[in-house]
mmCIF file of all heavy atoms in Angstrom:
data_model
loop_
_atom_site.group_PDB
_atom_site.id
_atom_site.type_symbol
_atom_site.label_atom_id
_atom_site.label_comp_id
_atom_site.label_asym_id
_atom_site.label_seq_id
_atom_site.Cartn_x
_atom_site.Cartn_y
_atom_site.Cartn_z
ATOM 1 N N ALA A 1 56.954 16.958 12.479
ATOM 2 C CA ALA A 1 55.862 16.069 11.963
ATOM 3 C C ALA A 1 54.612 16.896 11.723
ATOM 4 O O ALA A 1 53.696 16.406 11.120
ATOM 5 C CB ALA A 1 55.525 15.008 13.006
ATOM 6 N N LEU A 2 54.655 18.196 12.114
ATOM 7 C CA LEU A 2 53.517 19.015 11.948
ATOM 8 C C LEU A 2 53.282 19.297 10.413
ATOM 9 O O LEU A 2 54.197 19.573 9.624
ATOM 10 C CB LEU A 2 53.674 20.431 12.549
ATOM 11 C CG LEU A 2 53.582 20.499 14.155
ATOM 12 C CD1 LEU A 2 54.116 21.798 14.636
ATOM 13 C CD2 LEU A 2 52.178 20.158 14.543
ATOM 14 N N ASP A 3 51.945 19.217 9.909
ATOM 15 C CA ASP A 3 51.565 19.586 8.670
ATOM 16 C C ASP A 3 50.859 20.882 8.673
ATOM 17 O O ASP A 3 50.401 21.350 9.802
ATOM 18 C CB ASP A 3 50.587 18.492 8.089
ATOM 19 C CG ASP A 3 51.245 17.221 7.701
ATOM 20 O OD1 ASP A 3 52.522 17.321 7.353
ATOM 21 O OD2 ASP A 3 50.674 16.200 7.702
ATOM 22 N N VAL A 4 50.784 21.564 7.581
ATOM 23 C CA VAL A 4 50.043 22.792 7.524
ATOM 24 C C VAL A 4 48.635 22.715 8.053
ATOM 25 O O VAL A 4 48.118 23.634 8.721
ATOM 26 C CB VAL A 4 50.000 23.264 5.990
ATOM 27 C CG1 VAL A 4 49.054 24.496 5.904
ATOM 28 C CG2 VAL A 4 51.439 23.641 5.547
ATOM 29 N N THR A 5 47.985 21.619 7.796
ATOM 30 C CA THR A 5 46.666 21.371 8.301
ATOM 31 C C THR A 5 46.448 21.121 9.801
ATOM 32 O O THR A 5 45.390 21.066 10.224
ATOM 33 C CB THR A 5 45.959 20.158 7.553
ATOM 34 O OG1 THR A 5 46.818 19.055 7.657
ATOM 35 C CG2 THR A 5 45.747 20.545 6.035
ATOM 36 N N ASP A 6 47.600 20.951 10.399
ATOM 37 C CA ASP A 6 47.544 20.764 11.867
ATOM 38 C C ASP A 6 47.578 22.069 12.601
ATOM 39 O O ASP A 6 47.504 22.068 13.834
ATOM 40 C CB ASP A 6 48.835 19.974 12.286
ATOM 41 C CG ASP A 6 48.839 18.516 11.849
ATOM 42 O OD1 ASP A 6 47.721 17.908 11.755
ATOM 43 O OD2 ASP A 6 49.902 17.976 11.545
ATOM 44 N N VAL A 7 47.653 23.273 11.919
ATOM 45 C CA VAL A 7 47.711 24.544 12.534
ATOM 46 C C VAL A 7 46.347 25.177 12.200
ATOM 47 O O VAL A 7 46.002 25.378 11.065
ATOM 48 C CB VAL A 7 48.851 25.347 11.976
ATOM 49 C CG1 VAL A 7 48.902 26.759 12.578
ATOM 50 C CG2 VAL A 7 50.229 24.482 12.172
ATOM 51 N N VAL A 8 45.688 25.655 13.252
ATOM 52 C CA VAL A 8 44.433 26.398 13.103
ATOM 53 C C VAL A 8 44.515 27.676 13.893
ATOM 54 O O VAL A 8 44.866 27.675 15.057
ATOM 55 C CB VAL A 8 43.334 25.563 13.633
ATOM 56 C CG1 VAL A 8 41.958 26.333 13.542
ATOM 57 C CG2 VAL A 8 43.157 24.241 12.841
ATOM 58 N N PHE A 9 44.301 28.823 13.123
ATOM 59 C CA PHE A 9 44.335 30.142 13.802
ATOM 60 C C PHE A 9 42.976 30.501 14.248
ATOM 61 O O PHE A 9 41.910 30.245 13.551
ATOM 62 C CB PHE A 9 44.922 31.165 12.770
ATOM 63 C CG PHE A 9 46.292 30.884 12.369
ATOM 64 C CD1 PHE A 9 46.679 30.380 11.204
ATOM 65 C CD2 PHE A 9 47.351 31.296 13.244
ATOM 66 C CE1 PHE A 9 47.940 30.183 10.780
ATOM 67 C CE2 PHE A 9 48.674 31.153 12.894
ATOM 68 C CZ PHE A 9 48.982 30.597 11.717
ATOM 69 N N GLU A 10 42.997 31.112 15.423
ATOM 70 C CA GLU A 10 41.676 31.637 16.024
ATOM 71 C C GLU A 10 41.987 33.029 16.600
ATOM 72 O O GLU A 10 43.147 33.429 16.648
ATOM 73 C CB GLU A 10 41.233 30.726 17.174
ATOM 74 C CG GLU A 10 40.936 29.329 16.742
ATOM 75 C CD GLU A 10 40.543 28.410 17.898
ATOM 76 O OE1 GLU A 10 40.393 28.944 19.061
ATOM 77 O OE2 GLU A 10 40.260 27.246 17.698
ATOM 78 N N PRO A 11 40.986 33.866 16.892
ATOM 79 C CA PRO A 11 41.265 35.182 17.439
ATOM 80 C C PRO A 11 42.147 35.157 18.695
ATOM 81 O O PRO A 11 42.963 36.047 18.882
ATOM 82 C CB PRO A 11 39.867 35.650 17.807
ATOM 83 C CG PRO A 11 38.909 34.985 16.843
ATOM 84 C CD PRO A 11 39.518 33.594 16.697
ATOM 85 N N ALA A 12 42.007 34.123 19.440
ATOM 86 C CA ALA A 12 42.821 34.146 20.790
ATOM 87 C C ALA A 12 44.188 33.557 20.493
ATOM 88 O O ALA A 12 45.043 33.739 21.417
ATOM 89 C CB ALA A 12 42.108 33.250 21.803
ATOM 90 N N GLY A 13 44.478 32.972 19.403
ATOM 91 C CA GLY A 13 45.783 32.398 19.172
ATOM 92 C C GLY A 13 45.817 31.325 18.091
ATOM 93 O O GLY A 13 45.055 31.398 17.084
ATOM 94 N N MET A 14 46.492 30.144 18.346
ATOM 95 C CA MET A 14 46.541 29.129 17.405
ATOM 96 C C MET A 14 46.521 27.828 18.132
ATOM 97 O O MET A 14 47.011 27.672 19.215
ATOM 98 C CB MET A 14 47.830 29.217 16.477
ATOM 99 C CG MET A 14 49.175 29.200 17.310
ATOM 100 S SD MET A 14 50.612 29.670 16.351
ATOM 101 C CE MET A 14 50.722 28.345 15.274
ATOM 102 N N ARG A 15 45.983 26.841 17.370
ATOM 103 C CA ARG A 15 45.869 25.407 17.946
ATOM 104 C C ARG A 15 46.753 24.520 17.049
ATOM 105 O O ARG A 15 46.727 24.633 15.867
ATOM 106 C CB ARG A 15 44.431 24.860 17.916
ATOM 107 C CG ARG A 15 43.512 25.602 18.823
ATOM 108 C CD ARG A 15 42.051 25.058 18.583
ATOM 109 N NE ARG A 15 41.097 25.752 19.448
ATOM 110 C CZ ARG A 15 40.766 25.345 20.688
ATOM 111 N NH1 ARG A 15 41.230 24.139 21.193
ATOM 112 N NH2 ARG A 15 39.854 26.034 21.364
ATOM 113 N N LEU A 16 47.593 23.726 17.787
ATOM 114 C CA LEU A 16 48.440 22.808 17.020
ATOM 115 C C LEU A 16 47.891 21.361 17.347
ATOM 116 O O LEU A 16 47.687 21.012 18.488
ATOM 117 C CB LEU A 16 49.875 22.868 17.577
ATOM 118 C CG LEU A 16 50.561 24.250 17.469
ATOM 119 C CD1 LEU A 16 51.954 24.097 18.038
ATOM 120 C CD2 LEU A 16 50.606 24.711 16.030
ATOM 121 N N ARG A 17 47.717 20.572 16.322
ATOM 122 C CA ARG A 17 47.304 19.184 16.407
ATOM 123 C C ARG A 17 48.528 18.292 16.463
ATOM 124 O O ARG A 17 49.188 18.215 15.429
ATOM 125 C CB ARG A 17 46.286 18.775 15.402
ATOM 126 C CG ARG A 17 45.928 17.301 15.399
ATOM 127 C CD ARG A 17 45.110 16.963 16.694
ATOM 128 N NE ARG A 17 44.777 15.473 16.680
ATOM 129 C CZ ARG A 17 44.267 14.905 17.663
ATOM 130 N NH1 ARG A 17 43.871 15.626 18.763
ATOM 131 N NH2 ARG A 17 43.904 13.580 17.704
ATOM 132 N N ILE A 18 48.838 17.712 17.612
ATOM 133 C CA ILE A 18 50.006 16.753 17.611
ATOM 134 C C ILE A 18 49.478 15.361 17.459
ATOM 135 O O ILE A 18 48.826 14.823 18.334
ATOM 136 C CB ILE A 18 50.751 16.895 18.994
ATOM 137 C CG1 ILE A 18 51.097 18.354 19.310
ATOM 138 C CG2 ILE A 18 52.059 16.041 19.016
ATOM 139 C CD1 ILE A 18 51.973 19.082 18.352
ATOM 140 N N ASN A 19 49.700 14.816 16.307
ATOM 141 C CA ASN A 19 49.028 13.468 15.958
ATOM 142 C C ASN A 19 49.701 12.339 16.688
ATOM 143 O O ASN A 19 49.066 11.309 16.952
ATOM 144 C CB ASN A 19 49.070 13.310 14.460
ATOM 145 C CG ASN A 19 48.139 14.369 13.864
ATOM 146 O OD1 ASN A 19 47.029 14.485 14.175
ATOM 147 N ND2 ASN A 19 48.703 15.141 12.922
ATOM 148 N N ARG A 20 51.042 12.460 16.938
ATOM 149 C CA ARG A 20 51.757 11.265 17.535
ATOM 150 C C ARG A 20 52.962 11.790 18.205
ATOM 151 O O ARG A 20 53.541 12.812 17.754
ATOM 152 C CB ARG A 20 52.103 10.242 16.457
ATOM 153 C CG ARG A 20 52.704 8.973 16.980
ATOM 154 C CD ARG A 20 53.036 8.046 15.869
ATOM 155 N NE ARG A 20 51.911 7.622 15.046
ATOM 156 C CZ ARG A 20 51.156 6.516 15.353
ATOM 157 N NH1 ARG A 20 51.459 5.871 16.422
ATOM 158 N NH2 ARG A 20 50.150 6.310 14.604
ATOM 159 N N SER A 21 53.276 11.189 19.294
ATOM 160 C CA SER A 21 54.522 11.540 20.009
ATOM 161 C C SER A 21 55.150 10.427 20.638
ATOM 162 O O SER A 21 54.685 9.262 20.592
ATOM 163 C CB SER A 21 54.196 12.632 21.094
ATOM 164 O OG SER A 21 53.387 12.108 22.164
ATOM 165 N N LYS A 22 56.324 10.631 21.310
ATOM 166 C CA LYS A 22 57.052 9.608 21.955
ATOM 167 C C LYS A 22 56.290 8.825 23.004
ATOM 168 O O LYS A 22 56.395 7.637 23.179
ATOM 169 C CB LYS A 22 58.358 10.233 22.585
ATOM 170 C CG LYS A 22 59.241 9.281 23.297
ATOM 171 C CD LYS A 22 60.383 10.075 23.948
ATOM 172 C CE LYS A 22 61.396 9.059 24.671
ATOM 173 N NZ LYS A 22 62.454 9.828 25.345
ATOM 174 N N THR A 23 55.413 9.554 23.712
ATOM 175 C CA THR A 23 54.558 8.881 24.776
ATOM 176 C C THR A 23 53.167 8.591 24.296
ATOM 177 O O THR A 23 52.290 8.212 25.061
ATOM 178 C CB THR A 23 54.517 9.729 26.043
ATOM 179 O OG1 THR A 23 54.039 11.149 25.664
ATOM 180 C CG2 THR A 23 55.929 9.957 26.620
ATOM 181 N N ASP A 24 52.984 8.707 22.973
ATOM 182 C CA ASP A 24 51.631 8.396 22.415
ATOM 183 C C ASP A 24 51.775 7.668 21.147
ATOM 184 O O ASP A 24 51.447 8.187 20.018
ATOM 185 C CB ASP A 24 50.869 9.789 22.183
ATOM 186 C CG ASP A 24 49.517 9.571 21.453
ATOM 187 O OD1 ASP A 24 48.938 8.502 21.645
ATOM 188 O OD2 ASP A 24 49.095 10.469 20.771
ATOM 189 N N GLN A 25 52.307 6.476 21.244
ATOM 190 C CA GLN A 25 52.601 5.673 19.986
ATOM 191 C C GLN A 25 51.368 5.132 19.269
ATOM 192 O O GLN A 25 51.400 4.765 18.163
ATOM 193 C CB GLN A 25 53.532 4.519 20.361
ATOM 194 C CG GLN A 25 54.908 4.923 20.811
ATOM 195 C CD GLN A 25 55.686 5.672 19.777
ATOM 196 O OE1 GLN A 25 55.594 5.425 18.587
ATOM 197 N NE2 GLN A 25 56.494 6.704 20.237
ATOM 198 N N LYS A 26 50.241 5.159 20.005
ATOM 199 C CA LYS A 26 48.985 4.721 19.370
ATOM 200 C C LYS A 26 48.264 5.825 18.568
ATOM 201 O O LYS A 26 47.360 5.601 17.972
ATOM 202 C CB LYS A 26 48.006 4.251 20.505
ATOM 203 C CG LYS A 26 48.468 3.035 21.227
ATOM 204 C CD LYS A 26 47.485 2.582 22.318
ATOM 205 C CE LYS A 26 47.910 1.320 23.020
ATOM 206 N NZ LYS A 26 46.961 0.879 24.032
ATOM 207 N N GLY A 27 48.856 6.997 18.582
ATOM 208 C CA GLY A 27 48.320 8.103 17.852
ATOM 209 C C GLY A 27 46.993 8.678 18.282
ATOM 210 O O GLY A 27 46.160 9.129 17.479
ATOM 211 N N VAL A 28 46.766 8.639 19.579
ATOM 212 C CA VAL A 28 45.554 9.346 20.138
ATOM 213 C C VAL A 28 45.614 10.805 19.842
ATOM 214 O O VAL A 28 44.604 11.395 19.459
ATOM 215 C CB VAL A 28 45.451 9.074 21.665
ATOM 216 C CG1 VAL A 28 44.278 9.775 22.171
ATOM 217 C CG2 VAL A 28 45.331 7.592 21.917
ATOM 218 N N GLY A 29 46.730 11.424 19.973
ATOM 219 C CA GLY A 29 46.899 12.857 19.663
ATOM 220 C C GLY A 29 46.524 13.765 20.824
ATOM 221 O O GLY A 29 45.833 13.327 21.735
ATOM 222 N N ARG A 30 46.930 15.050 20.659
ATOM 223 C CA ARG A 30 46.602 16.019 21.651
ATOM 224 C C ARG A 30 46.621 17.363 20.975
ATOM 225 O O ARG A 30 47.238 17.513 19.831
ATOM 226 C CB ARG A 30 47.523 16.047 22.851
ATOM 227 C CG ARG A 30 48.926 16.305 22.498
ATOM 228 C CD ARG A 30 49.888 16.024 23.765
ATOM 229 N NE ARG A 30 51.282 16.270 23.453
ATOM 230 C CZ ARG A 30 51.873 17.458 23.645
ATOM 231 N NH1 ARG A 30 51.144 18.469 24.117
ATOM 232 N NH2 ARG A 30 53.173 17.681 23.280
ATOM 233 N N THR A 31 46.037 18.336 21.625
ATOM 234 C CA THR A 31 45.982 19.730 21.056
ATOM 235 C C THR A 31 46.743 20.644 21.920
ATOM 236 O O THR A 31 46.558 20.662 23.115
ATOM 237 C CB THR A 31 44.526 20.196 20.847
ATOM 238 O OG1 THR A 31 43.871 19.357 19.962
ATOM 239 C CG2 THR A 31 44.520 21.610 20.329
ATOM 240 N N VAL A 32 47.614 21.443 21.317
ATOM 241 C CA VAL A 32 48.389 22.378 22.068
ATOM 242 C C VAL A 32 47.938 23.859 21.652
ATOM 243 O O VAL A 32 47.866 24.104 20.394
ATOM 244 C CB VAL A 32 49.901 22.274 21.812
ATOM 245 C CG1 VAL A 32 50.623 23.356 22.429
ATOM 246 C CG2 VAL A 32 50.381 20.913 22.341
ATOM 247 N N GLY A 33 47.675 24.698 22.620
ATOM 248 C CA GLY A 33 47.296 26.037 22.291
ATOM 249 C C GLY A 33 48.445 26.982 22.511
ATOM 250 O O GLY A 33 49.268 26.870 23.458
#
């Protein structure tokens, strides 16, 4: 489900925006580093 725009690079690494998941059907989302 990841889009190109869900990936952000920073000097320390990268951030992934998880917009929806099995336990987040309302689409609150979370960020994974």
Side-chain angles (χ1 to χ4, degrees):
L2 286 171
D3 286 333
V4 170
T5 52
D6 293 326
V7 182
V8 178
F9 293 102
E10 300 178 2
M14 59 193 295
R15 294 176 183 264
L16 305 177
R17 175 65 181 174
I18 310 300
N19 295 302
R20 189 181 295 273
S21 68
K22 180 180 178 180
T23 55
D24 176 28
Q25 295 299 325
K26 295 182 179 179
V28 175
R30 63 188 179 92
T31 299
V32 174

